[in-house]
């Protein structure tokens, strides 16, 4: 059974914001001649890395709700310019929308077991994907999503 991570998506107001940011960063890396891959840098190295990259995902909390995920492809430890140990969580750039699941704010990331993770949006919820982000936000604020 895959193990996942959950993290706040600081600075994004919607899944669309996250997708735009990913596209911008990938284009920037392409223009700079860098490897075209998406990663998130974190200070703490997951101790259960093998379980995470064996089919796990990073679930993003946006505006107090888990709204999407990205598959975890690799975990690469490194030391930054200041000598601090960090790691890159290498992610599939494709953003997979999920059922919304309320979450309180927290720092860093947390492990998320597969049974506790929200389901991917299926064809039965395709209307939710097509719904304007502002309307989805208002319905979530009312507790209807």
């Amino acid at each position: 059974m895959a193990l996942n991570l959950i993290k706040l998506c600081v600075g994004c107001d919607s899944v669309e914001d996250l997708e735009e940011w990913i596209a911008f960063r990938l284009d920037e890396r392409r223009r700079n001649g860098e490897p075209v891959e998406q990663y998130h840098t974190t200070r703490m190295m997951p101790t259960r890395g093998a379980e995470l990259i064996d089919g796990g995902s990073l679930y993003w909390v946006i505006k107090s709700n888990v709204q999407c995920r990205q598959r975890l492809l690799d975990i690469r430890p490194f030391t930054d310019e200041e000598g601090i140990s960090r790691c890159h969580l290498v992610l599939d750039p494709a953003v997979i929308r999920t059922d919304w699941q309320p979450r309180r704010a927290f720092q860093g990331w947390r492990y998320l077991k597969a049974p506790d993770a929200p389901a991917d949006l299926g064809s039965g919820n395709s209307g939710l994907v097509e719904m304007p982000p502002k309307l989805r936000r208002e319905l979530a604020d009312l507790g209807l999503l």
Side-chain angles (χ1 to χ4, degrees), residues 6-32:
I6 186 168
K7 183 162 183 24
L8 299 181
C9 192
V10 179
C12 286
D13 290 328
S14 66
V15 176
E16 291 79 10
D17 283 351
L18 176 61
E19 291 170 329
E20 289 173 13
W21 184 86
I22 291 168
F24 173 79
R25 291 291 293 147
L26 292 176
D27 286 344
E28 187 176 59
R29 294 181 66 78
R30 194 174 292 111
R31 284 192 307 273
N32 293 337

mmCIF file with all atom_site columns, all heavy atoms in Angstrom, residues 6-32:
data_model
loop_
_atom_site.group_PDB
_atom_site.id
_atom_site.type_symbol
_atom_site.label_atom_id
_atom_site.label_alt_id
_atom_site.label_comp_id
_atom_site.label_asym_id
_atom_site.label_entity_id
_atom_site.label_seq_id
_atom_site.pdbx_PDB_ins_code
_atom_site.Cartn_x
_atom_site.Cartn_y
_atom_site.Cartn_z
_atom_site.occupancy
_atom_site.B_iso_or_equiv
_atom_site.pdbx_formal_charge
_atom_site.auth_seq_id
_atom_site.auth_comp_id
_atom_site.auth_asym_id
_atom_site.auth_atom_id
_atom_site.pdbx_PDB_model_num
ATOM 1   N N   . ILE A 1 6  ? 1.396  14.931 2.707   1.00 0.00 ? 6  ILE A N   1
ATOM 2   C CA  . ILE A 1 6  ? 0.428  16.016 2.592   1.00 0.00 ? 6  ILE A CA  1
ATOM 3   C C   . ILE A 1 6  ? 1.139  17.292 3.024   1.00 0.00 ? 6  ILE A C   1
ATOM 4   O O   . ILE A 1 6  ? 1.924  17.285 3.970   1.00 0.00 ? 6  ILE A O   1
ATOM 5   C CB  . ILE A 1 6  ? -0.844 15.739 3.428   1.00 0.00 ? 6  ILE A CB  1
ATOM 6   C CG1 . ILE A 1 6  ? -1.900 16.809 3.186   1.00 0.00 ? 6  ILE A CG1 1
ATOM 7   C CG2 . ILE A 1 6  ? -0.521 15.567 4.887   1.00 0.00 ? 6  ILE A CG2 1
ATOM 8   C CD1 . ILE A 1 6  ? -3.266 16.449 3.743   1.00 0.00 ? 6  ILE A CD1 1
ATOM 9   N N   . LYS A 1 7  ? 0.897  18.376 2.282   1.00 0.00 ? 7  LYS A N   1
ATOM 10  C CA  . LYS A 1 7  ? 1.601  19.626 2.541   1.00 0.00 ? 7  LYS A CA  1
ATOM 11  C C   . LYS A 1 7  ? 0.720  20.802 2.144   1.00 0.00 ? 7  LYS A C   1
ATOM 12  O O   . LYS A 1 7  ? -0.071 20.699 1.224   1.00 0.00 ? 7  LYS A O   1
ATOM 13  C CB  . LYS A 1 7  ? 2.900  19.651 1.734   1.00 0.00 ? 7  LYS A CB  1
ATOM 14  C CG  . LYS A 1 7  ? 3.761  20.872 1.977   1.00 0.00 ? 7  LYS A CG  1
ATOM 15  C CD  . LYS A 1 7  ? 5.149  20.633 1.510   1.00 0.00 ? 7  LYS A CD  1
ATOM 16  C CE  . LYS A 1 7  ? 6.085  21.794 1.778   1.00 0.00 ? 7  LYS A CE  1
ATOM 17  N NZ  . LYS A 1 7  ? 5.743  22.689 2.825   1.00 0.00 ? 7  LYS A NZ  1
ATOM 18  N N   . LEU A 1 8  ? 0.889  21.917 2.856   1.00 0.00 ? 8  LEU A N   1
ATOM 19  C CA  . LEU A 1 8  ? 0.190  23.138 2.475   1.00 0.00 ? 8  LEU A CA  1
ATOM 20  C C   . LEU A 1 8  ? 0.801  23.691 1.205   1.00 0.00 ? 8  LEU A C   1
ATOM 21  O O   . LEU A 1 8  ? 2.022  23.715 1.055   1.00 0.00 ? 8  LEU A O   1
ATOM 22  C CB  . LEU A 1 8  ? 0.291  24.196 3.578   1.00 0.00 ? 8  LEU A CB  1
ATOM 23  C CG  . LEU A 1 8  ? -0.293 23.860 4.942   1.00 0.00 ? 8  LEU A CG  1
ATOM 24  C CD1 . LEU A 1 8  ? -0.110 25.051 5.879   1.00 0.00 ? 8  LEU A CD1 1
ATOM 25  C CD2 . LEU A 1 8  ? -1.745 23.470 4.856   1.00 0.00 ? 8  LEU A CD2 1
ATOM 26  N N   . CYS A 1 9  ? -0.026 24.157 0.309   1.00 0.00 ? 9  CYS A N   1
ATOM 27  C CA  . CYS A 1 9  ? 0.426  24.778 -0.934  1.00 0.00 ? 9  CYS A CA  1
ATOM 28  C C   . CYS A 1 9  ? 0.393  26.294 -0.726  1.00 0.00 ? 9  CYS A C   1
ATOM 29  O O   . CYS A 1 9  ? -0.562 26.972 -1.111  1.00 0.00 ? 9  CYS A O   1
ATOM 30  C CB  . CYS A 1 9  ? -0.472 24.348 -2.089  1.00 0.00 ? 9  CYS A CB  1
ATOM 31  S SG  . CYS A 1 9  ? 0.199  24.765 -3.699  1.00 0.00 ? 9  CYS A SG  1
ATOM 32  N N   . VAL A 1 10 ? 1.429  26.794 -0.077  1.00 0.00 ? 10 VAL A N   1
ATOM 33  C CA  . VAL A 1 10 ? 1.494  28.198 0.317   1.00 0.00 ? 10 VAL A CA  1
ATOM 34  C C   . VAL A 1 10 ? 1.615  29.085 -0.925  1.00 0.00 ? 10 VAL A C   1
ATOM 35  O O   . VAL A 1 10 ? 2.415  28.822 -1.808  1.00 0.00 ? 10 VAL A O   1
ATOM 36  C CB  . VAL A 1 10 ? 2.684  28.440 1.271   1.00 0.00 ? 10 VAL A CB  1
ATOM 37  C CG1 . VAL A 1 10 ? 2.778  29.896 1.666   1.00 0.00 ? 10 VAL A CG1 1
ATOM 38  C CG2 . VAL A 1 10 ? 2.550  27.554 2.510   1.00 0.00 ? 10 VAL A CG2 1
ATOM 39  N N   . GLY A 1 11 ? 0.796  30.108 -0.986  1.00 0.00 ? 11 GLY A N   1
ATOM 40  C CA  . GLY A 1 11 ? 0.850  31.075 -2.081  1.00 0.00 ? 11 GLY A CA  1
ATOM 41  C C   . GLY A 1 11 ? -0.096 30.788 -3.227  1.00 0.00 ? 11 GLY A C   1
ATOM 42  O O   . GLY A 1 11 ? -0.229 31.599 -4.127  1.00 0.00 ? 11 GLY A O   1
ATOM 43  N N   . CYS A 1 12 ? -0.747 29.643 -3.220  1.00 0.00 ? 12 CYS A N   1
ATOM 44  C CA  . CYS A 1 12 ? -1.703 29.302 -4.273  1.00 0.00 ? 12 CYS A CA  1
ATOM 45  C C   . CYS A 1 12 ? -3.121 29.455 -3.735  1.00 0.00 ? 12 CYS A C   1
ATOM 46  O O   . CYS A 1 12 ? -3.422 28.988 -2.647  1.00 0.00 ? 12 CYS A O   1
ATOM 47  C CB  . CYS A 1 12 ? -1.501 27.875 -4.760  1.00 0.00 ? 12 CYS A CB  1
ATOM 48  S SG  . CYS A 1 12 ? -0.058 27.658 -5.789  1.00 0.00 ? 12 CYS A SG  1
ATOM 49  N N   . ASP A 1 13 ? -3.953 30.088 -4.533  1.00 0.00 ? 13 ASP A N   1
ATOM 50  C CA  . ASP A 1 13 ? -5.358 30.249 -4.164  1.00 0.00 ? 13 ASP A CA  1
ATOM 51  C C   . ASP A 1 13 ? -6.249 29.199 -4.795  1.00 0.00 ? 13 ASP A C   1
ATOM 52  O O   . ASP A 1 13 ? -7.414 29.076 -4.436  1.00 0.00 ? 13 ASP A O   1
ATOM 53  C CB  . ASP A 1 13 ? -5.854 31.637 -4.573  1.00 0.00 ? 13 ASP A CB  1
ATOM 54  C CG  . ASP A 1 13 ? -5.242 32.740 -3.733  1.00 0.00 ? 13 ASP A CG  1
ATOM 55  O OD1 . ASP A 1 13 ? -4.957 32.499 -2.547  1.00 0.00 ? 13 ASP A OD1 1
ATOM 56  O OD2 . ASP A 1 13 ? -5.046 33.840 -4.266  1.00 0.00 ? 13 ASP A OD2 1
ATOM 57  N N   . SER A 1 14 ? -5.709 28.457 -5.780  1.00 0.00 ? 14 SER A N   1
ATOM 58  C CA  . SER A 1 14 ? -6.513 27.459 -6.477  1.00 0.00 ? 14 SER A CA  1
ATOM 59  C C   . SER A 1 14 ? -5.596 26.447 -7.142  1.00 0.00 ? 14 SER A C   1
ATOM 60  O O   . SER A 1 14 ? -4.382 26.665 -7.269  1.00 0.00 ? 14 SER A O   1
ATOM 61  C CB  . SER A 1 14 ? -7.390 28.130 -7.541  1.00 0.00 ? 14 SER A CB  1
ATOM 62  O OG  . SER A 1 14 ? -6.572 28.684 -8.561  1.00 0.00 ? 14 SER A OG  1
ATOM 63  N N   . VAL A 1 15 ? -6.181 25.358 -7.591  1.00 0.00 ? 15 VAL A N   1
ATOM 64  C CA  . VAL A 1 15 ? -5.422 24.354 -8.338  1.00 0.00 ? 15 VAL A CA  1
ATOM 65  C C   . VAL A 1 15 ? -4.891 24.987 -9.618  1.00 0.00 ? 15 VAL A C   1
ATOM 66  O O   . VAL A 1 15 ? -3.769 24.707 -10.043 1.00 0.00 ? 15 VAL A O   1
ATOM 67  C CB  . VAL A 1 15 ? -6.293 23.118 -8.633  1.00 0.00 ? 15 VAL A CB  1
ATOM 68  C CG1 . VAL A 1 15 ? -5.539 22.113 -9.492  1.00 0.00 ? 15 VAL A CG1 1
ATOM 69  C CG2 . VAL A 1 15 ? -6.761 22.459 -7.346  1.00 0.00 ? 15 VAL A CG2 1
ATOM 70  N N   . GLU A 1 16 ? -5.667 25.865 -10.210 1.00 0.00 ? 16 GLU A N   1
ATOM 71  C CA  . GLU A 1 16 ? -5.235 26.533 -11.431 1.00 0.00 ? 16 GLU A CA  1
ATOM 72  C C   . GLU A 1 16 ? -3.969 27.355 -11.182 1.00 0.00 ? 16 GLU A C   1
ATOM 73  O O   . GLU A 1 16 ? -3.066 27.383 -12.026 1.00 0.00 ? 16 GLU A O   1
ATOM 74  C CB  . GLU A 1 16 ? -6.360 27.425 -11.983 1.00 0.00 ? 16 GLU A CB  1
ATOM 75  C CG  . GLU A 1 16 ? -7.553 26.656 -12.518 1.00 0.00 ? 16 GLU A CG  1
ATOM 76  C CD  . GLU A 1 16 ? -8.519 26.144 -11.433 1.00 0.00 ? 16 GLU A CD  1
ATOM 77  O OE1 . GLU A 1 16 ? -8.382 26.534 -10.248 1.00 0.00 ? 16 GLU A OE1 1
ATOM 78  O OE2 . GLU A 1 16 ? -9.409 25.351 -11.768 1.00 0.00 ? 16 GLU A OE2 1
ATOM 79  N N   . ASP A 1 17 ? -3.889 28.028 -10.033 1.00 0.00 ? 17 ASP A N   1
ATOM 80  C CA  . ASP A 1 17 ? -2.666 28.761 -9.674  1.00 0.00 ? 17 ASP A CA  1
ATOM 81  C C   . ASP A 1 17 ? -1.470 27.821 -9.618  1.00 0.00 ? 17 ASP A C   1
ATOM 82  O O   . ASP A 1 17 ? -0.385 28.143 -10.114 1.00 0.00 ? 17 ASP A O   1
ATOM 83  C CB  . ASP A 1 17 ? -2.803 29.443 -8.307  1.00 0.00 ? 17 ASP A CB  1
ATOM 84  C CG  . ASP A 1 17 ? -3.621 30.710 -8.335  1.00 0.00 ? 17 ASP A CG  1
ATOM 85  O OD1 . ASP A 1 17 ? -3.956 31.191 -9.435  1.00 0.00 ? 17 ASP A OD1 1
ATOM 86  O OD2 . ASP A 1 17 ? -3.918 31.224 -7.238  1.00 0.00 ? 17 ASP A OD2 1
ATOM 87  N N   . LEU A 1 18 ? -1.652 26.663 -8.988  1.00 0.00 ? 18 LEU A N   1
ATOM 88  C CA  . LEU A 1 18 ? -0.577 25.686 -8.883  1.00 0.00 ? 18 LEU A CA  1
ATOM 89  C C   . LEU A 1 18 ? -0.145 25.215 -10.270 1.00 0.00 ? 18 LEU A C   1
ATOM 90  O O   . LEU A 1 18 ? 1.052  25.153 -10.574 1.00 0.00 ? 18 LEU A O   1
ATOM 91  C CB  . LEU A 1 18 ? -1.011 24.496 -8.026  1.00 0.00 ? 18 LEU A CB  1
ATOM 92  C CG  . LEU A 1 18 ? -0.019 23.333 -7.912  1.00 0.00 ? 18 LEU A CG  1
ATOM 93  C CD1 . LEU A 1 18 ? 1.286  23.787 -7.269  1.00 0.00 ? 18 LEU A CD1 1
ATOM 94  C CD2 . LEU A 1 18 ? -0.643 22.179 -7.133  1.00 0.00 ? 18 LEU A CD2 1
ATOM 95  N N   . GLU A 1 19 ? -1.093 24.917 -11.129 1.00 0.00 ? 19 GLU A N   1
ATOM 96  C CA  . GLU A 1 19 ? -0.770 24.458 -12.484 1.00 0.00 ? 19 GLU A CA  1
ATOM 97  C C   . GLU A 1 19 ? -0.015 25.532 -13.267 1.00 0.00 ? 19 GLU A C   1
ATOM 98  O O   . GLU A 1 19 ? 0.944  25.225 -13.988 1.00 0.00 ? 19 GLU A O   1
ATOM 99  C CB  . GLU A 1 19 ? -2.046 24.050 -13.228 1.00 0.00 ? 19 GLU A CB  1
ATOM 100 C CG  . GLU A 1 19 ? -2.677 22.793 -12.682 1.00 0.00 ? 19 GLU A CG  1
ATOM 101 C CD  . GLU A 1 19 ? -4.051 22.501 -13.235 1.00 0.00 ? 19 GLU A CD  1
ATOM 102 O OE1 . GLU A 1 19 ? -4.793 23.446 -13.572 1.00 0.00 ? 19 GLU A OE1 1
ATOM 103 O OE2 . GLU A 1 19 ? -4.387 21.303 -13.311 1.00 0.00 ? 19 GLU A OE2 1
ATOM 104 N N   . GLU A 1 20 ? -0.425 26.793 -13.122 1.00 0.00 ? 20 GLU A N   1
ATOM 105 C CA  . GLU A 1 20 ? 0.275  27.888 -13.797 1.00 0.00 ? 20 GLU A CA  1
ATOM 106 C C   . GLU A 1 20 ? 1.700  28.030 -13.273 1.00 0.00 ? 20 GLU A C   1
ATOM 107 O O   . GLU A 1 20 ? 2.635  28.254 -14.047 1.00 0.00 ? 20 GLU A O   1
ATOM 108 C CB  . GLU A 1 20 ? -0.486 29.204 -13.613 1.00 0.00 ? 20 GLU A CB  1
ATOM 109 C CG  . GLU A 1 20 ? -1.774 29.266 -14.395 1.00 0.00 ? 20 GLU A CG  1
ATOM 110 C CD  . GLU A 1 20 ? -2.602 30.507 -14.067 1.00 0.00 ? 20 GLU A CD  1
ATOM 111 O OE1 . GLU A 1 20 ? -2.078 31.446 -13.423 1.00 0.00 ? 20 GLU A OE1 1
ATOM 112 O OE2 . GLU A 1 20 ? -3.785 30.523 -14.442 1.00 0.00 ? 20 GLU A OE2 1
ATOM 113 N N   . TRP A 1 21 ? 1.882  27.908 -11.959 1.00 0.00 ? 21 TRP A N   1
ATOM 114 C CA  . TRP A 1 21 ? 3.201  28.024 -11.366 1.00 0.00 ? 21 TRP A CA  1
ATOM 115 C C   . TRP A 1 21 ? 4.110  26.900 -11.876 1.00 0.00 ? 21 TRP A C   1
ATOM 116 O O   . TRP A 1 21 ? 5.267  27.125 -12.216 1.00 0.00 ? 21 TRP A O   1
ATOM 117 C CB  . TRP A 1 21 ? 3.099  27.987 -9.844  1.00 0.00 ? 21 TRP A CB  1
ATOM 118 C CG  . TRP A 1 21 ? 4.411  28.191 -9.169  1.00 0.00 ? 21 TRP A CG  1
ATOM 119 C CD1 . TRP A 1 21 ? 4.993  29.369 -8.852  1.00 0.00 ? 21 TRP A CD1 1
ATOM 120 C CD2 . TRP A 1 21 ? 5.322  27.172 -8.750  1.00 0.00 ? 21 TRP A CD2 1
ATOM 121 N NE1 . TRP A 1 21 ? 6.208  29.158 -8.253  1.00 0.00 ? 21 TRP A NE1 1
ATOM 122 C CE2 . TRP A 1 21 ? 6.439  27.806 -8.185  1.00 0.00 ? 21 TRP A CE2 1
ATOM 123 C CE3 . TRP A 1 21 ? 5.308  25.791 -8.792  1.00 0.00 ? 21 TRP A CE3 1
ATOM 124 C CZ2 . TRP A 1 21 ? 7.525  27.116 -7.672  1.00 0.00 ? 21 TRP A CZ2 1
ATOM 125 C CZ3 . TRP A 1 21 ? 6.395  25.093 -8.281  1.00 0.00 ? 21 TRP A CZ3 1
ATOM 126 C CH2 . TRP A 1 21 ? 7.478  25.752 -7.730  1.00 0.00 ? 21 TRP A CH2 1
ATOM 127 N N   . ILE A 1 22 ? 3.594  25.679 -11.934 1.00 0.00 ? 22 ILE A N   1
ATOM 128 C CA  . ILE A 1 22 ? 4.371  24.538 -12.426 1.00 0.00 ? 22 ILE A CA  1
ATOM 129 C C   . ILE A 1 22 ? 4.797  24.780 -13.867 1.00 0.00 ? 22 ILE A C   1
ATOM 130 O O   . ILE A 1 22 ? 5.968  24.599 -14.231 1.00 0.00 ? 22 ILE A O   1
ATOM 131 C CB  . ILE A 1 22 ? 3.566  23.227 -12.301 1.00 0.00 ? 22 ILE A CB  1
ATOM 132 C CG1 . ILE A 1 22 ? 3.384  22.849 -10.835 1.00 0.00 ? 22 ILE A CG1 1
ATOM 133 C CG2 . ILE A 1 22 ? 4.245  22.089 -13.075 1.00 0.00 ? 22 ILE A CG2 1
ATOM 134 C CD1 . ILE A 1 22 ? 2.371  21.743 -10.600 1.00 0.00 ? 22 ILE A CD1 1
ATOM 135 N N   . ALA A 1 23 ? 3.861  25.206 -14.719 1.00 0.00 ? 23 ALA A N   1
ATOM 136 C CA  . ALA A 1 23 ? 4.172  25.469 -16.130 1.00 0.00 ? 23 ALA A CA  1
ATOM 137 C C   . ALA A 1 23 ? 5.238  26.557 -16.253 1.00 0.00 ? 23 ALA A C   1
ATOM 138 O O   . ALA A 1 23 ? 6.172  26.437 -17.059 1.00 0.00 ? 23 ALA A O   1
ATOM 139 C CB  . ALA A 1 23 ? 2.910  25.868 -16.883 1.00 0.00 ? 23 ALA A CB  1
ATOM 140 N N   . PHE A 1 24 ? 5.129  27.615 -15.456 1.00 0.00 ? 24 PHE A N   1
ATOM 141 C CA  . PHE A 1 24 ? 6.104  28.707 -15.484 1.00 0.00 ? 24 PHE A CA  1
ATOM 142 C C   . PHE A 1 24 ? 7.493  28.197 -15.119 1.00 0.00 ? 24 PHE A C   1
ATOM 143 O O   . PHE A 1 24 ? 8.484  28.484 -15.788 1.00 0.00 ? 24 PHE A O   1
ATOM 144 C CB  . PHE A 1 24 ? 5.674  29.823 -14.531 1.00 0.00 ? 24 PHE A CB  1
ATOM 145 C CG  . PHE A 1 24 ? 6.698  30.911 -14.379 1.00 0.00 ? 24 PHE A CG  1
ATOM 146 C CD1 . PHE A 1 24 ? 6.832  31.896 -15.344 1.00 0.00 ? 24 PHE A CD1 1
ATOM 147 C CD2 . PHE A 1 24 ? 7.543  30.935 -13.280 1.00 0.00 ? 24 PHE A CD2 1
ATOM 148 C CE1 . PHE A 1 24 ? 7.791  32.888 -15.220 1.00 0.00 ? 24 PHE A CE1 1
ATOM 149 C CE2 . PHE A 1 24 ? 8.502  31.919 -13.141 1.00 0.00 ? 24 PHE A CE2 1
ATOM 150 C CZ  . PHE A 1 24 ? 8.624  32.901 -14.108 1.00 0.00 ? 24 PHE A CZ  1
ATOM 151 N N   . ARG A 1 25 ? 7.582  27.424 -14.008 1.00 0.00 ? 25 ARG A N   1
ATOM 152 C CA  . ARG A 1 25 ? 8.883  26.914 -13.545 1.00 0.00 ? 25 ARG A CA  1
ATOM 153 C C   . ARG A 1 25 ? 9.491  25.938 -14.558 1.00 0.00 ? 25 ARG A C   1
ATOM 154 O O   . ARG A 1 25 ? 10.700 25.962 -14.788 1.00 0.00 ? 25 ARG A O   1
ATOM 155 C CB  . ARG A 1 25 ? 8.739  26.225 -12.183 1.00 0.00 ? 25 ARG A CB  1
ATOM 156 C CG  . ARG A 1 25 ? 8.439  27.166 -11.049 1.00 0.00 ? 25 ARG A CG  1
ATOM 157 C CD  . ARG A 1 25 ? 9.604  28.073 -10.696 1.00 0.00 ? 25 ARG A CD  1
ATOM 158 N NE  . ARG A 1 25 ? 10.686 27.282 -10.144 1.00 0.00 ? 25 ARG A NE  1
ATOM 159 C CZ  . ARG A 1 25 ? 11.972 27.559 -10.314 1.00 0.00 ? 25 ARG A CZ  1
ATOM 160 N NH1 . ARG A 1 25 ? 12.341 28.598 -10.990 1.00 0.00 ? 25 ARG A NH1 1
ATOM 161 N NH2 . ARG A 1 25 ? 12.896 26.775 -9.801  1.00 0.00 ? 25 ARG A NH2 1
ATOM 162 N N   . LEU A 1 26 ? 8.681  25.093 -15.185 1.00 0.00 ? 26 LEU A N   1
ATOM 163 C CA  . LEU A 1 26 ? 9.205  24.169 -16.188 1.00 0.00 ? 26 LEU A CA  1
ATOM 164 C C   . LEU A 1 26 ? 9.721  24.927 -17.404 1.00 0.00 ? 26 LEU A C   1
ATOM 165 O O   . LEU A 1 26 ? 10.790 24.607 -17.934 1.00 0.00 ? 26 LEU A O   1
ATOM 166 C CB  . LEU A 1 26 ? 8.138  23.146 -16.588 1.00 0.00 ? 26 LEU A CB  1
ATOM 167 C CG  . LEU A 1 26 ? 7.742  22.130 -15.512 1.00 0.00 ? 26 LEU A CG  1
ATOM 168 C CD1 . LEU A 1 26 ? 6.607  21.242 -16.011 1.00 0.00 ? 26 LEU A CD1 1
ATOM 169 C CD2 . LEU A 1 26 ? 8.924  21.291 -15.062 1.00 0.00 ? 26 LEU A CD2 1
ATOM 170 N N   . ASP A 1 27 ? 8.990  25.953 -17.848 1.00 0.00 ? 27 ASP A N   1
ATOM 171 C CA  . ASP A 1 27 ? 9.448  26.786 -18.966 1.00 0.00 ? 27 ASP A CA  1
ATOM 172 C C   . ASP A 1 27 ? 10.746 27.507 -18.607 1.00 0.00 ? 27 ASP A C   1
ATOM 173 O O   . ASP A 1 27 ? 11.660 27.600 -19.429 1.00 0.00 ? 27 ASP A O   1
ATOM 174 C CB  . ASP A 1 27 ? 8.377  27.817 -19.359 1.00 0.00 ? 27 ASP A CB  1
ATOM 175 C CG  . ASP A 1 27 ? 7.214  27.201 -20.098 1.00 0.00 ? 27 ASP A CG  1
ATOM 176 O OD1 . ASP A 1 27 ? 7.359  26.050 -20.588 1.00 0.00 ? 27 ASP A OD1 1
ATOM 177 O OD2 . ASP A 1 27 ? 6.157  27.851 -20.188 1.00 0.00 ? 27 ASP A OD2 1
ATOM 178 N N   . GLU A 1 28 ? 10.828 28.017 -17.385 1.00 0.00 ? 28 GLU A N   1
ATOM 179 C CA  . GLU A 1 28 ? 12.026 28.705 -16.921 1.00 0.00 ? 28 GLU A CA  1
ATOM 180 C C   . GLU A 1 28 ? 13.234 27.760 -16.931 1.00 0.00 ? 28 GLU A C   1
ATOM 181 O O   . GLU A 1 28 ? 14.318 28.125 -17.388 1.00 0.00 ? 28 GLU A O   1
ATOM 182 C CB  . GLU A 1 28 ? 11.767 29.241 -15.511 1.00 0.00 ? 28 GLU A CB  1
ATOM 183 C CG  . GLU A 1 28 ? 12.853 30.116 -14.946 1.00 0.00 ? 28 GLU A CG  1
ATOM 184 C CD  . GLU A 1 28 ? 12.445 30.672 -13.595 1.00 0.00 ? 28 GLU A CD  1
ATOM 185 O OE1 . GLU A 1 28 ? 12.174 29.874 -12.663 1.00 0.00 ? 28 GLU A OE1 1
ATOM 186 O OE2 . GLU A 1 28 ? 12.414 31.911 -13.477 1.00 0.00 ? 28 GLU A OE2 1
ATOM 187 N N   . ARG A 1 29 ? 13.050 26.546 -16.456 1.00 0.00 ? 29 ARG A N   1
ATOM 188 C CA  . ARG A 1 29 ? 14.137 25.566 -16.441 1.00 0.00 ? 29 ARG A CA  1
ATOM 189 C C   . ARG A 1 29 ? 14.554 25.210 -17.874 1.00 0.00 ? 29 ARG A C   1
ATOM 190 O O   . ARG A 1 29 ? 15.738 25.073 -18.170 1.00 0.00 ? 29 ARG A O   1
ATOM 191 C CB  . ARG A 1 29 ? 13.733 24.320 -15.658 1.00 0.00 ? 29 ARG A CB  1
ATOM 192 C CG  . ARG A 1 29 ? 13.537 24.605 -14.160 1.00 0.00 ? 29 ARG A CG  1
ATOM 193 C CD  . ARG A 1 29 ? 13.158 23.375 -13.371 1.00 0.00 ? 29 ARG A CD  1
ATOM 194 N NE  . ARG A 1 29 ? 14.201 22.385 -13.334 1.00 0.00 ? 29 ARG A NE  1
ATOM 195 C CZ  . ARG A 1 29 ? 15.281 22.446 -12.552 1.00 0.00 ? 29 ARG A CZ  1
ATOM 196 N NH1 . ARG A 1 29 ? 15.443 23.465 -11.744 1.00 0.00 ? 29 ARG A NH1 1
ATOM 197 N NH2 . ARG A 1 29 ? 16.181 21.494 -12.580 1.00 0.00 ? 29 ARG A NH2 1
ATOM 198 N N   . ARG A 1 30 ? 13.571 25.074 -18.764 1.00 0.00 ? 30 ARG A N   1
ATOM 199 C CA  . ARG A 1 30 ? 13.856 24.765 -20.168 1.00 0.00 ? 30 ARG A CA  1
ATOM 200 C C   . ARG A 1 30 ? 14.687 25.886 -20.793 1.00 0.00 ? 30 ARG A C   1
ATOM 201 O O   . ARG A 1 30 ? 15.685 25.627 -21.463 1.00 0.00 ? 30 ARG A O   1
ATOM 202 C CB  . ARG A 1 30 ? 12.529 24.582 -20.919 1.00 0.00 ? 30 ARG A CB  1
ATOM 203 C CG  . ARG A 1 30 ? 12.645 23.951 -22.278 1.00 0.00 ? 30 ARG A CG  1
ATOM 204 C CD  . ARG A 1 30 ? 11.270 23.662 -22.895 1.00 0.00 ? 30 ARG A CD  1
ATOM 205 N NE  . ARG A 1 30 ? 10.560 22.616 -22.167 1.00 0.00 ? 30 ARG A NE  1
ATOM 206 C CZ  . ARG A 1 30 ? 9.465  22.797 -21.415 1.00 0.00 ? 30 ARG A CZ  1
ATOM 207 N NH1 . ARG A 1 30 ? 8.927  23.991 -21.295 1.00 0.00 ? 30 ARG A NH1 1
ATOM 208 N NH2 . ARG A 1 30 ? 8.886  21.797 -20.793 1.00 0.00 ? 30 ARG A NH2 1
ATOM 209 N N   . ARG A 1 31 ? 14.288 27.137 -20.558 1.00 0.00 ? 31 ARG A N   1
ATOM 210 C CA  . ARG A 1 31 ? 15.021 28.294 -21.106 1.00 0.00 ? 31 ARG A CA  1
ATOM 211 C C   . ARG A 1 31 ? 16.446 28.382 -20.565 1.00 0.00 ? 31 ARG A C   1
ATOM 212 O O   . ARG A 1 31 ? 17.349 28.822 -21.262 1.00 0.00 ? 31 ARG A O   1
ATOM 213 C CB  . ARG A 1 31 ? 14.287 29.597 -20.777 1.00 0.00 ? 31 ARG A CB  1
ATOM 214 C CG  . ARG A 1 31 ? 13.059 29.874 -21.626 1.00 0.00 ? 31 ARG A CG  1
ATOM 215 C CD  . ARG A 1 31 ? 12.546 31.295 -21.451 1.00 0.00 ? 31 ARG A CD  1
ATOM 216 N NE  . ARG A 1 31 ? 12.316 31.663 -20.063 1.00 0.00 ? 31 ARG A NE  1
ATOM 217 C CZ  . ARG A 1 31 ? 11.183 31.442 -19.396 1.00 0.00 ? 31 ARG A CZ  1
ATOM 218 N NH1 . ARG A 1 31 ? 10.180 30.851 -19.995 1.00 0.00 ? 31 ARG A NH1 1
ATOM 219 N NH2 . ARG A 1 31 ? 11.053 31.824 -18.139 1.00 0.00 ? 31 ARG A NH2 1
ATOM 220 N N   . ASN A 1 32 ? 16.645 27.983 -19.315 1.00 0.00 ? 32 ASN A N   1
ATOM 221 C CA  . ASN A 1 32 ? 17.964 28.052 -18.685 1.00 0.00 ? 32 ASN A CA  1
ATOM 222 C C   . ASN A 1 32 ? 18.832 26.833 -18.979 1.00 0.00 ? 32 ASN A C   1
ATOM 223 O O   . ASN A 1 32 ? 19.950 26.739 -18.462 1.00 0.00 ? 32 ASN A O   1
ATOM 224 C CB  . ASN A 1 32 ? 17.813 28.214 -17.164 1.00 0.00 ? 32 ASN A CB  1
ATOM 225 C CG  . ASN A 1 32 ? 17.215 29.552 -16.803 1.00 0.00 ? 32 ASN A CG  1
ATOM 226 O OD1 . ASN A 1 32 ? 17.287 30.515 -17.560 1.00 0.00 ? 32 ASN A OD1 1
ATOM 227 N ND2 . ASN A 1 32 ? 16.603 29.627 -15.631 1.00 0.00 ? 32 ASN A ND2 1
#
